[in-house]
Amino acid sequence: MISVLFVCLGNICRSPMAEAIFRDLAAKKGLEGKIKTDSAGIGGWHIGNPPHEGTQEILQREGISFEGMLARQVSEQDLADFDYIIAMDAENIGSLRSMAGFKNTSHIKRLLDYVEDSDLADVPDPYYTGNFEEVCQLIKSGCEHLLASIQKEKQL
């Protein structure tokens, strides 16, 4: 099984949104038994909390389930256990690479690295900007491109 972990700062806005959207896209392609999806945060401030209300509203409007999703903090073991670790911004990448130390980090990338024509490199944090709509559009595009890349690479 292919495993994908989405990472943001606190695991209540961007990464759970990406987890839910990516899981939904994979299910629509009939890949739910082939791809495992999860999310985590760099910090532990929100451990055990459900996604932010703004994330919940967007996902509900899109008809995408976030049932059972609770914030957790990324662990060193995650770096070994997941095939793809997808961060939302450069700060997250730096934290993940620091956590990895001298281990291989080629599987750690930013979500928007998969969107060749994106004007942005980072998915802005709606916890601070309040712009959940923009973030949803960026995450949808990133997840679609990521899934296409995985399908091509893994011949799914």
Side-chain angles (χ1 to χ4, degrees), residues 8 10 14 28 37 53-54 60 64 70 80 87 90-91 121 132 145-146 152:
C8 69
R14 296 173 292 174
K28 287 176 178 169
T37 309
E53 289 174 4
Q60 285 171 339
I64 297 173
L70 298 173
E91 184 180 339
F132 285 86
H145 285 86
L146 171 61
K152 183 177 180 182

Side-chain angles (χ1 to χ4, degrees), residues 17 20-21 24 28 52-66 130-138 140:
M17 186 184 294
I21 289 171
D24 185 66
K28 287 176 178 169
H52 187 283
E53 289 174 4
T55 293
Q56 289 185 32
E57 287 174 19
I58 292 273
L59 294 174
Q60 285 171 339
R61 188 190 72 217
E62 298 286 325
I64 297 173
S65 174
F66 55 89
N131 196 343
F132 285 86
E133 196 62 49
E134 174 195 23
V135 167
C136 182
Q137 295 311 311
L138 291 169
K140 271 190 199 174

Side-chain angles (χ1 to χ4, degrees), residues 1-3 26 30-36 83 150 155-156:
M1 178 163 303
I2 298 158
S3 55
L31 300 172
E32 59 269 276
K34 297 181 180 181
I35 300 177
K36 175 182 116 179
D83 301 313
I150 291 171
Q155 300 177 349
L156 297 177

Side-chain angles (χ1 to χ4, degrees), residues 15-95:
S15 58
M17 186 184 294
E19 175 188 354
I21 289 171
F22 188 82
R23 184 179 293 140
D24 185 66
L25 289 169
K28 287 176 178 169
K29 300 247 182 204
L31 300 172
E32 59 269 276
K34 297 181 180 181
I35 300 177
K36 175 182 116 179
T37 309
D38 198 358
S39 64
I42 297 296
W45 314 283
H46 303 291
I47 291 173
N49 292 335
H52 187 283
E53 289 174 4
T55 293
Q56 289 185 32
E57 287 174 19
I58 292 273
L59 294 174
Q60 285 171 339
R61 188 190 72 217
E62 298 286 325
I64 297 173
S65 174
F66 55 89
E67 185 178 337
M69 292 175 65
L70 298 173
R72 71 177 186 88
Q73 189 170 10
V74 70
S75 70
E76 284 186 39
Q77 190 61 47
D78 288 331
L79 302 178
D81 290 349
F82 284 86
D83 301 313
Y84 297 85
I85 298 179
I86 308 300
M88 297 298 127
D89 61 37
E91 184 180 339
N92 304 150
I93 289 282
S95 296

